[in-house]
Amino acid sequence: MQEQLNAIIASVRDQAPKINTRADFESFKATISGPKGSLTSVMKLMGQVPKEDKPAMGKCINEAKTVIVAELDAVLERIEQAELAAKLGPAIDPSLPGVDPNRGILHPIAQVREEMVHLFQRIGFSVAEATEVDTEHFCFDALNIPADHPARDMQDSYYLPHERSVGNVQKNADEKYLLRTHTSTVQIRTMLKEKPPIRIIAPGRCFRRDTPDATHSANFHQIEGLYVDRDVSLLDLKATLDHFVKTIFGSKAKTRLRPSFFPFTEPSFEMDFYSPDLGKLSNKWLEIMGCGMVDPEVFKSVGIDPKAYTGFAFGMGIERIAMILQGVDDIRYYYQNDVRFLKQFA
Ligand code: DAH
């Protein structure tokens, strides 16, 4: 009997390495321990063994069984490992950087806004903000914009219904709320809060009832600048804006101030610039902002003494700068959220 058991063990050891699937394993196992299996038939012989030999035989069978079960368990374990490995696929190195599906970027308008903000921060301007909903007073009156100015027309601006209340923006009973038409509101709100010297830039969203076309959008962005101190001169304005243009558009860029009119600056200018490195737009004067020396009437509206202080202000559209820098010829691309467009600025 011991010989038969040894033979079974030998055949298990011989076959084990060749068994690679669960099905093969099950059928092989059946040939050992199934109803007609070799081990089962040896165990059946126990019935015929004389009583006194039974303990010794039983011991032999149990020992053989332990060996066989261990061999079969090892085979099953190997098969399970292989199945798991097949499920997991090829080995990976988890320390490698992952596949990047589509990393987000700042919107191209925000990219240009950040560049402009950082540039002014480096020369001592800090960022000021105010609400997008404001009152007629802050959008117009305090900026010396007269009642008959076209910007105040219902058709030019977005007014809110009379009954609407905006908790964090105070207004007089007889005036209306509107979506600010420019960031110049921030000049007034800052001068009411802070004493000179004041040196701020105010990036933000503005709204006008423009019919959208390649260069107009009802929603757009501006950056406002304001510098108020003793003895601020036109030279300071020119030098600051020259620095801005040369930093953004390259050191070969040139600027010029053209006389213009804004109710809140006197004198007022449009600033143009010209650069040899702008592709299709090279060597043409391009208008990029309005600017001027703060009008004494504006100082009076915020309680700053115009005899003691002077200041300059400027305001420009961020989209305009972005379009020139990024070679975009239609402002509407910026608002369509077309990933094919946006991806180009990654
Ligand atoms: N607020 C003006 C506009 O939206 C732009 C502007 C012009 C701003 C001259 C200024 C300035 O601060 O001094 O058209």
Side-chain angles (χ1 to χ4, degrees):
M1 189 180 277
Q2 185 63 58
E3 269 165 34
Q4 280 169 292
L5 289 171
N6 286 346
I8 297 171
I9 291 174
S11 91
V12 169
R13 288 195 170 137
D14 179 48
Q15 293 300 310
K18 300 177 197 153
I19 302 169
N20 293 315
T21 67
R22 211 173 262 268
D24 286 353
F25 172 77
E26 293 301 340
S27 50
F28 180 70
K29 192 174 157 195
T31 66
I32 311 288
S33 56
K36 293 189 179 136
S38 48
L39 184 62
T40 315
S41 36
V42 174
M43 280 159 73
K44 279 183 191 154
L45 295 177
M46 274 292 274
Q48 300 151 24
V49 173
K51 206 174 170 200
E52 59 276 17
D53 292 341
K54 273 194 178 162
M57 280 300 139
K59 192 166 170 257
C60 282
I61 289 179
N62 279 340
E63 279 171 5
K65 229 171 132 180
T66 310
V67 174
I68 291 167
V69 167
E71 290 285 343
L72 291 178
D73 280 352
V75 173
L76 188 58
E77 161 106 24
R78 178 167 52 74
I79 291 171
E80 280 173 351
Q81 290 290 346
E83 282 173 353
L84 184 65
K87 242 193 239 166
L88 291 176
I92 53 158
D93 178 351
S95 66
L96 288 174
V99 182
D100 191 349
N102 241 337
R103 194 132 51 106
I105 51 153
L106 276 186
H107 188 277
I109 294 294
Q111 290 181 18
V112 173
R113 181 197 64 211
E114 292 300 285
E115 192 179 340
M116 292 165 73
V117 165
H118 291 149
L119 181 169
F120 283 110
Q121 282 178 323
R122 283 197 295 274
I123 54 170
F125 285 73
S126 53
V127 173
E129 284 181 304
T131 50
E132 289 170 3
V133 172
D134 216 322
T135 67
E136 290 179 283
H137 174 77
F138 285 97
C139 206
F140 304 129
D141 300 87
L143 286 157
N144 199 32
I145 296 177
D148 58 358
H149 194 282
R152 300 183 69 139
D153 195 310
M154 293 294 283
Q155 308 306 313
D156 277 14
S157 307
Y158 287 105
Y159 285 90
L160 270 64
H162 243 307
E163 60 281 8
R164 188 62 53 80
S165 95
V166 179
N168 55 340
V169 184
Q170 307 299 315
K171 79 169 178 67
N172 294 328
D174 57 343
E175 48 166 2
K176 293 190 274 285
Y177 284 122
L178 75 162
L179 299 183
R180 66 179 177 196
T181 57
H182 52 182
T183 44
S184 302
T185 54
V186 191
Q187 288 192 33
I188 303 301
R189 291 200 172 272
T190 306
M191 286 191 282
L192 285 175
K193 270 194 307 215
E194 292 170 25
K195 301 239 158 320
I198 292 171
R199 206 156 33 189
I200 54 125
I201 42 156
R205 186 184 292 222
C206 308
F207 308 85
R208 285 182 204 173
R209 285 202 189 190
D210 275 327
T211 305
D213 64 18
T215 54
H216 293 86
S217 163
N219 153 104
F220 59 100
H221 301 80
Q222 287 189 334
I223 283 198
E224 190 81 12
L226 175 69
Y227 181 19
V228 181
D229 202 351
R230 293 182 195 279
D231 302 323
V232 175
S233 72
L234 194 50
L235 186 63
D236 298 312
L237 170 65
K238 178 81 163 80
T240 305
L241 296 183
D242 268 6
H243 172 71
F244 162 73
V245 165
K246 286 184 164 37
T247 309
I248 291 272
F249 296 109
S251 57
K252 289 193 209 131
K254 290 187 171 44
T255 61
R256 77 177 177 200
L257 294 176
R258 249 182 318 113
S260 182
F261 173 78
F262 297 101
F264 39 92
T265 43
E266 181 57 36
S268 301
F269 307 93
E270 298 286 350
M271 199 187 76
D272 304 334
F273 86 102
Y274 157 113
S275 163
D277 304 319
L278 275 186
K280 269 200 287 189
L281 296 175
S282 296
N283 301 327
K284 288 185 192 147
W285 285 106
L286 303 169
E287 180 184 314
I288 47 163
M289 71 174 97
C291 58
M293 301 306 291
V294 179
D295 193 301
E297 289 303 315
V298 173
F299 280 144
K300 281 186 213 155
S301 80
V302 293
I304 290 181
D305 179 0
K307 291 206 183 69
Y309 293 99
T310 52
F312 68 68
F314 57 87
M316 63 190 127
I318 301 181
E319 279 82 348
R320 173 111 177 98
I321 307 288
M323 287 169 79
I324 297 172
L325 273 179
Q326 297 168 342
V328 172
D329 59 8
D330 192 321
I331 196 171
R332 289 168 291 195
Y333 286 126
Y334 288 119
Y335 312 115
Q336 284 162 350
N337 261 350
D338 184 333
V339 175
R340 290 168 303 177
F341 173 75
L342 297 173
K343 261 189 175 167
Q344 299 173 54
F345 305 97

